[in-house]
């Protein structure tokens, strides 16, 4: 149950699919190079594999516990977090002026995958802090930045996102938490929030809650919602920690997985109200929240990649050592390790192929994010907007599927908790749900990213994908032609499906929405295939220089992905376009 | 978290897809009628919904515990089992001469689905006893039948299957448990068995273990394995219970799900050896075990149907009461129950369609089993042999997929254990593994049922399916033509895929094995589509007599299955036939 960060694959993606020249051309990232990044990744891999990964199993068993208002994380968690902060890992993608290390999000993405693979439960804590930092960087006042950012970036304080309420899950317009004006520019919050990740814990000196609430005279719905900072401990003007604020963790949820990550029910204003500070302007809370949410959605997509990688490594190790049954290839008549059985091999390569494709797509999205972030380039922004729901939904579905395959590779042992495969399967299941369910992602893709945009971002992506696939024509071999054919057919399908979605989304919202999940999956499979095709081209170029086991494996894996996974997209057009016919015909009580 | 047995659908399948005339034509089942069966199903539904289903959640939380050598089932379990026995539910499909009720297995299948849906953990106990009864009925001596069958059939004793050992999971030829001859025709067993379901518990007076072991002078491999009866308490010649045998439960596994079902590590012969009685002849143990295993594989397939039904009911109830977001259909501008959202509706109908299709296919297999069992009809035997691996693997994959959709419908609440959706997801995950992993089922289908038979059983099934689909041509309406087209295309694909499998299986076992899981899934989807097409025809005939909400829903669900699920089969041909190319090219350490 060890974890070895796939540094070779990460470096391959950064060098060949993103390109250091492209990153280094962005303002502020001039120093980025393979050498620098390689050193960072190696250090991170040591920390993820050596410090975090060993905590994951006990984290699951022990869980975080609420006792007398205090949440205790599992044994070893506090020390690991201290090391995480001391290593500067919390500060990697943030501006130097607030103590950050100023590295691109594209590089941060590879590190984040490592933390999440080592332990999803641990990785959630810095992931949430990151959201708070982003919101303050973009929307906070200078004073708020000065007070909160250095500590949040350093990691001695952590951040949370407080959106959900019992009656307001996916529909944030229904938020009821009240924000009353104190008359001095500050506010007092009253209400209950649920599903607050790391809403209370013992890892940091202070917790900075970012809270959606409604001002008294605000209009109904989303326009009445504002974003507030509510620190657990009030911060004095010199930055030191003051009085305890009127907010508390009422209970922790009893979840199927990520047991070590405390999911809190938070009560604001049980007594005199929780002192809070408005971020930006009243009524724009949801808009600000979406600033962090887009980044957070990519990060959740990375969690899907991460749990897939971890489950793959675990299953592969088991399949290498478990001897059972005879080999089928003649030369091994005696019992063989199960990795020699064709179907076990199929499952393992499926796991790895899905993981590598989703990693490449997620990092591509982060590269577009870096472009948009630093240069406000409209094409980069359109690309990251288009890719975000795909990365979130497709990668997290992959996380669940790969974790399930991981259980299957183990046979009966996969169902026994001590083996560890079961934990990944349980942990992964939250990923298609939180940060906007995958159904919501599909609607986001269909309506906001495709229909509203008239398919322009898709068309730009498609043109570049067509080029990439056409370029394979110059390369010899069966592998290359198989990849070109299957991914090319996938692109045809994606184009046809998108035309249907644009036409339907304009005339029949219900029908478009009923087909949206199929549509997203089809685009995800094809987009993953495109990244693997680009990887195959890079691998082939490398192999022309001499033999290389990593590149040989990458080439075969790309072909495997093209032949085994991309064709699934073909069977989604019919279901996508016909779902509404029957679904709409059912009476509600016949569903 | 209640459960209402789908008696209407079960009766529909029995009446229209099996036919009571067909059952009543079998020797011994002359009295079977809709009236009789309807009364049995109604009573069973009351017991499943009223007594068993309420135990399921606490069964999960409390689990079965080993304390000082005694396994305690959860609160209420003993009383429920007593009622189960008193109601005669354990005895339904067994011969009247041993105290059974002599009803067809086809009817028993609907009852078994109810017990499993109410509680997989509970349902496993009678399911294992059933296997022991089957083995003794077919292979036991008259004396063994007289001693063990009445109590096992009544349910005051329960049975187990002891196959697996740490080094012998799927490969039973590797069994090491020793059976030494006592010289008086009895034996003494020495060895350890793992994964023994209900290997020890407090529900019954005695536990009759069916144990695979190796005689001292036996040849290596499967031919050296014999089947033994080893009772927990020795049985005296008058049938009363005597001394404790030298066998014990060493520990219980800590599993991801089915916590209430004790999964025991069993030690045989710690002291003077576990007294045991040979079943049939030495060296034929594995052959005898397969007698029970085929029936058991169908029963595990039913567990997949059952957990899918339970997960569907749970998700539907939640989707009806959870109000969130606005409706898309114009007439509901305000917040609506989430069942009105197109994608939630899609998930729910997918869940139900998969459940109904897999139920129909499983019951069809049991009807063929009844035909083979009572008349030794070769066509029935060939059909049940062909369908068994499909029902086992396809239905259990469905169980996992539907349970996962059930979590998704719940959103964040699905990840919280108190909601109940998570338990189904955890419980379901064992089903594709035990009783032969689904990979093993796929090889069984490909090699034993297709290649070895030269596709004859498949061809018979295909011819009948072609007839059934062609018959839809006489029925009017868009629904019918959509079903005919999609299922017809599915049959074309199934034929083509089978031709590939036969040709490849004869020349390239490795390639056939690498594609076997894809092949099984494709056949399962199409076979499910055929049963739903037959259901649509019956529904249309019924609707011609007058409106009927159940039949209207069945017709739409059949079309939904044909349009949404059957087309997935099309995308499996390429992956099936190409998997070996890349998979074989990987060096082992590159997998």
């Amino acid at each position: 149950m060890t974890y070895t960060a796939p540094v070779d694959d990460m470096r391959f993606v950064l060098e060949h699919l993103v390109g250091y020249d492209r990153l280094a051309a962005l303002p502020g990232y001039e120093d980025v190079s393979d050498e620098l990044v390689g050193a960072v990744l190696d250090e991170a891999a040591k920390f993820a594999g050596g410090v975090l990964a060993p905590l994951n199993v006990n984290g699951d068993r022990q869980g975080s516990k609420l006792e007398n208002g205090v949440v205790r994380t599992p044994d070893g968690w506090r020390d690991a977090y201290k090391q995480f902060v001391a290593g500067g890992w919390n500060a990697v993608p943030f501006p130097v002026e607030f103590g950050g290390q100023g590295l691109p999000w594209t590089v941060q993405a590879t590190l984040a995958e490592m933390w999440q693979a080592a332990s999803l439960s641990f990785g959630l804590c810095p992931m949430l802090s990151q959201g708070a930092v982003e919101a303050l960087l973009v929307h906070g006042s200078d004073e708020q930045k000065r007070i909160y950012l250095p500590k949040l970036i350093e990691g001695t304080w952590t951040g949370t996102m407080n959106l959900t309420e019992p009656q307001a899950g996916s529909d944030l317009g229904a938020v009821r938490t009240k924000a009353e004006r104190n008359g001095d520019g500050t506010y007092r919050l009253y209400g209950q929030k649920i599903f607050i990740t790391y809403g209370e814990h013992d890892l940091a000196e202070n917790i900075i809650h970012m809270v959606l609430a409604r001002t008294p005279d605000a209009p109904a719905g989303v326009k009445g919602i504002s974003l507030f900072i509510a620190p657990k401990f009030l911060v004095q003007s010199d930055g030191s920690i003051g009085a305890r604020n009127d907010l508390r963790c009422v209970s922790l949820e009893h979840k199927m997985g990520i047991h070590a990550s405390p999911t809190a029910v938070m009560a604001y204003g049980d007594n005199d109200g929780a002192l809070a500070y408005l971020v930006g302007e009243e009524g724009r809370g949801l808009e600000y929240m979406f600033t962090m949410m887009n980044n957070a959605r990519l990060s959740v997509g990375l969690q899907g990649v991460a749990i897939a990688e971890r489950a793959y490594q675990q299953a592969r190790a088991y399949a290498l050592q478990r001897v059972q049954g005879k080999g089928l290839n003649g030369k091994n008549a005696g019992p063989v390790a199960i990795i020699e059985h064709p179907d076990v091999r199929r499952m393992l390569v499926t796991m790895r192929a899905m993981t590598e494709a989703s990693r490449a797509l997620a990092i591509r999205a982060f590269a577009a994010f870096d472009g948009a972030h630093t240069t406000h380039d409209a094409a980069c922004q359109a690309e990251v907007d288009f890719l975000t729901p795909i990365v979130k939904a497709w990668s997290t579905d992959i996380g669940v599927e790969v974790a399930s395959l991981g259980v299957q590779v183990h046979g009966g042992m996969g169902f026994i908790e001590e083996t560890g495969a079961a934990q990944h399967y349980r942990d992964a299941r939250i990923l298609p749900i939180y940060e906007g369910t995958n159904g919501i992602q599909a609607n986001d893709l269909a309506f906001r990213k495709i229909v509203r945009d008239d398919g322009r971002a898709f068309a730009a992506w498609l043109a570049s994908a067509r080029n990439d696939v056409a370029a394979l024509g110059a390369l010899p071999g069966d592998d290359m032609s198989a990849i070109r054919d299957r991914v090319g057919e996938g692109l045809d399908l994606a184009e046809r499906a998108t035309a249907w979605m644009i036409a339907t989304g304009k005339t029949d919202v219900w029908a478009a929405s009923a087909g949206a999940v199929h549509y997203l999956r089809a685009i995800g499979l094809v987009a993953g295939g495109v990244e693997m095709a680009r990887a195959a081209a890079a691998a082939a170029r490398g192999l022309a220089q001499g033999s290389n086991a990593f590149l040989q494996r990458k080439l075969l894996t790309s072909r495997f992905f093209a032949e085994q996974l991309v064709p699934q997209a073909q069977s989604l057009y019919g279901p996508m376009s016909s779902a509404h016919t029957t679904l709409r015909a059912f009476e509600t009580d016949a569903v």
Side-chain angles (χ1 to χ4, degrees), chain A residues 198-489:
Chain A
Y198 278 93
E200 179 58 53
H201 61 81
D202 59 0
L203 300 180
E205 289 169 12
N206 202 359
I207 302 173
I208 311 304
H209 300 285
M210 308 298 292
V211 187
L212 289 185
R214 193 176 287 286
T215 45
D217 40 9
V222 297
K223 298 228 160 79
I225 296 173
S226 305
L227 179 62
F228 297 90
I229 301 166
K232 174 179 168 183
F233 291 101
L234 299 176
V235 182
Q236 308 186 72
S237 55
D238 64 353
S240 66
I241 281 182
R244 186 74 162 78
N245 205 352
D246 181 17
L247 57 89
R248 68 191 179 90
C249 170
V250 178
S251 62
L252 295 182
E253 302 291 356
H254 175 223
K255 307 188 299 295
M256 173 155 62
I258 52 168
H259 292 158
S261 165
T263 304
V265 175
M266 298 294 299
Y268 289 86
D270 275 355
N271 300 304
D272 50 353
L275 192 61
Y277 313 97
L278 180 69
V279 176
E281 297 170 24
E282 281 190 8
R284 299 181 63 184
L286 215 60
E287 175 195 330
Y288 300 159
M289 228 6 144
F290 269 101
T291 309
M292 355 182 194
M293 215 144 27
N294 281 330
N295 194 329
R297 285 173 174 186
L298 290 180
S299 297
V300 172
L302 275 180
Q303 292 190 301
V305 180
I307 196 81
E309 175 68 36
R310 185 80 189 257
Y312 159 70
Q313 290 191 15
Q314 157 113 23
R316 180 174 183 275
Y318 183 81
L320 276 168
Q321 59 88 2
R322 171 69 171 173
V323 174
Q324 188 82 177
K326 299 202 185 352
L328 284 184
N329 56 358
K331 65 183 172 185
N332 292 312
V336 295
I338 62 172
I339 200 167
E340 301 296 348
H341 297 315
D343 188 58
V344 172
R345 198 168 262 251
R346 183 191 62 80
M347 290 193 279
L348 287 169
V349 179
T350 303
M351 294 169 79
R352 190 159 46 70
M354 291 175 106
T355 306
E356 290 183 12
S358 60
R359 173 181 299 126
L361 191 65
I363 293 181
R364 177 187 178 136
F366 273 103
F369 178 84
D370 274 327
H373 205 62
T374 54
T375 67
H376 305 285
D377 177 75
C380 285
Q381 188 64 54
E383 181 172 322
V384 70
D385 288 347
F386 165 62
L387 290 177
T388 295
I390 303 170
V391 168
K392 195 283 176 179
W394 186 62
S395 305
T396 56
D397 282 346
I398 281 178
V400 172
E401 288 167 35
V402 170
S404 186
L405 283 170
V407 171
Q408 192 70 18
V409 168
H410 285 76
M413 292 307 293
F415 200 63
I416 306 300
E417 286 287 0
E418 282 76 2
T419 314
Q423 183 187 350
H424 304 318
Y425 177 76
R426 291 187 286 99
D427 284 356
R429 195 59 192 81
I430 188 60
L431 304 179
I433 295 173
Y434 64 20
E435 216 51 54
T437 66
N438 286 2
I440 287 173
Q441 303 300 323
N443 278 322
D444 179 56
L445 175 65
F447 296 111
R448 287 202 198 87
K449 310 303 171 60
I450 296 291
V451 177
R452 188 188 291 176
D453 172 60
D454 231 343
R456 273 185 289 268
F458 170 81
W461 170 83
L462 181 70
S464 122
R466 292 266 191 219
N467 274 340
D468 291 333
V469 173
L472 300 185
L475 296 162
D478 284 356
D479 293 335
M480 223 42 90
S481 62
I483 295 169
R484 199 176 58 229
D485 291 351
R486 295 296 87 71
V487 179
E489 289 158 10

